[in-house]
Amino acid sequence: MVNVAILGFGTVGSGVAEVLTKNGGLIDQRVDDLVRLKYILDVRDFPNSPYADCFVKDFSVIEQDPEVDIVVETIGGATIALDFTTRALKAGKSVVTSNKELVATHGYDLLQLAREHGVSYLFEASVGGGIPILRPLTSCLAANELTQITGILNGTTNYILTRMIKAGLTFDQALKEAQENGYAEKDPTADVDGHDACRKICILAALAFGQHVYPQQVPTEGIRNVTLEDVAYADSKGYKIKLLGRCLRQPEGKVCAFVAPHLVSDENPLAGVEDVFNAIAVTGNAIGDVMFYGRGAGKLPTASAVVADVIDIAKDRKKDHHNAWGPGAPALVVSPDILSSRWYVRADASMDQARLACGEIQPLARAGAPAGEAAFLTGQMTYPQIRDCLKGMAVSSLFRVLD
Ligand code: NDP
Ligand code: HSE
C-alpha cells in the first residue's frame, strides 16, 4: 500500500484527489500496488466533500504518520509550503508539487535535502500544467546538449490575450474569466507581470543547463504594456504578440534568460497557441527543434502531471528519481542586452523621423491610426542599440521580434 497526503485542497489539490479516486483502478494496476489517499490538509472545512474523512488541520499528523509515503504540496507560495515540504522530506516522505514559486526559489536546496533523506522531490506540474516537459527534457532528450528553450509558459496571460483579441473582452473581463476557470495565481499580478513565466523559465533553465537560475536574475516584463493597437499593427504583417519565456546557453557555461512580450510570425507554431494552452520549443544539438504543447493550467490537466509523479515514485520508492542541478551563482546569468533581434516600435513620430533614427525600417499600418503615430519593425540590433536610436522619441511600445 502506498499512502498519499495532499496539502491544499484548492484547484490543483482537489483535482489530484479526483484523479486518484476516478482512475484508482488503473493507477493501482500501473503501480502494481494500492495507492490510497490518506489525508488532505487545508485551512478550510469541506464537510460535504466525498473525502470528508481524510481532512486534517495539523500538518504534524501527516509528518508523524509512518504510513504516509508521498506528500503532494499544492498550497502554493514559498512560506508555509517551504516549511511543510522541508519537514516532509526530513521525515523521509517524497514530495510532489505543482508549486513553481517554491521550486524556482528553493529547488536546489530541496533537491539536496531529498537526496540526503533518500526520497524524491518531483515537480512535473510546475511547468506547462499538464504538458509532459520536465521528464522529457531530462530523459528523452538526455543525449542532447540543449541550446535554447522558448515557451508560452503562462496560461492566464495567453488566455487573456486570446479573449481580448478574439472575443473583444476588456483586460479585466478576460482576467475574471481566467480566475473563474482556476487558471490564475492567487495573486494574478504574478501572471500578468510575468513572474509566473519567470519562475517556469528558471526551472527549465536549471534542468537544461544544470545550475540553479533564480527569478531575481531574470529580467521580466509582463503583458500590461500590450495594447489592442499593438495587436492590430502586428497582425497587419502576419505576427501575433505572445508573452515568451526564453533561455539560451551562452559561452563559458553562462545562461541568458528573460521573459517579455514578443512578435511571433504566423509561420512559427507558437503563434497559433491560444487560450490556456502553452507550448515549449526546445532546441538540442542532436534533435534540432522539438515542441511540447497542451493545457498549461487548470484543475485536471495539472492534476494529471502531479499524479504521474506520484505514480512514478509509487512504482519504485527506492529509485533515485532526482532532477538534480547544481547551485546558482551571481555571474551565471547574463543580460538579454547581448541578444540581437528585430524590434517592433510604436512611437509618436513620423515615418521619416523613424527612418532617420533607426535606418532601414518596415512600416506597419492599422485602421484608425492617429496622424503622428508611427509603428514599424527595425533591422537586427541589441537593446542598447535600439535604445540609443530611439533616444528623444516618445515610445509607447517596444517589443522584440522572435526570429
Ligand atoms: P488554490 O489557491 O486554489 O489552492 C490552494 C489551497 O491551499 C487553498 O484551498 C488554500 O486555502 C489552501 N491553503 C492555504 N494555506 C494553507 C495552509 N497553511 N495549510 C493548508 N492549506 C492551505 O491554488 P491552486 O490549486 O490554483 O495552486 C496551487 C499551486 O499549484 C500553486 O503553487 C500554483 O502556482 C500551482 N499551479 C496551479 C495551476 C492552476 O491551474 N491553478 C497549474 C499549475 C500549477 P485558502 O483558499 O483558504 O487560502
Ligand atoms: N497561473 C498559472 C498559469 C498556472 O496561468 O499558467 C499554471 O502554472
Side-chain angles (χ1 to χ4, degrees), residues 348-368:
D348 292 342
S350 68
M351 274 309 164
D352 284 344
Q353 283 171 311
R355 270 193 200 93
L356 205 61
C358 300
E360 204 167 309
I361 58 169
Q362 195 180 358
L364 304 174
R366 70 173 174 93

Side-chain angles (χ1 to χ4, degrees), residues 154-155 157-160 162-163 242 273-278:
N154 183 266
T157 45
N158 207 47
Y159 183 87
I160 291 172
T162 309
R163 294 292 287 157
K242 295 288 179 192
V273 176
E274 296 191 331
D275 294 310
V276 73
F277 285 85
N278 284 188

Side-chain angles (χ1 to χ4, degrees), residues 94 137 220 317 323-324 365 373-374 394:
S94 287
L137 208 60
T220 297
R317 275 171 279 175
N323 291 318
E373 177 176 84

Side-chain angles (χ1 to χ4, degrees), residues 7-13 41-44 46 74-77 80 84 98-100 125-126 129 182-186 196 296-299 302:
L7 314 181
F9 194 65
T11 304
V12 181
L41 175 93
D42 200 283
V43 281
R44 289 181 287 156
F46 297 86
T74 50
I75 293 176
I80 194 75
F84 289 168
S98 54
N99 184 346
K100 52 268 164 157
S126 66
Y183 303 153
E185 296 301 299
K186 197 169 195 137
D196 179 74
K299 176 174 167 166
T302 309

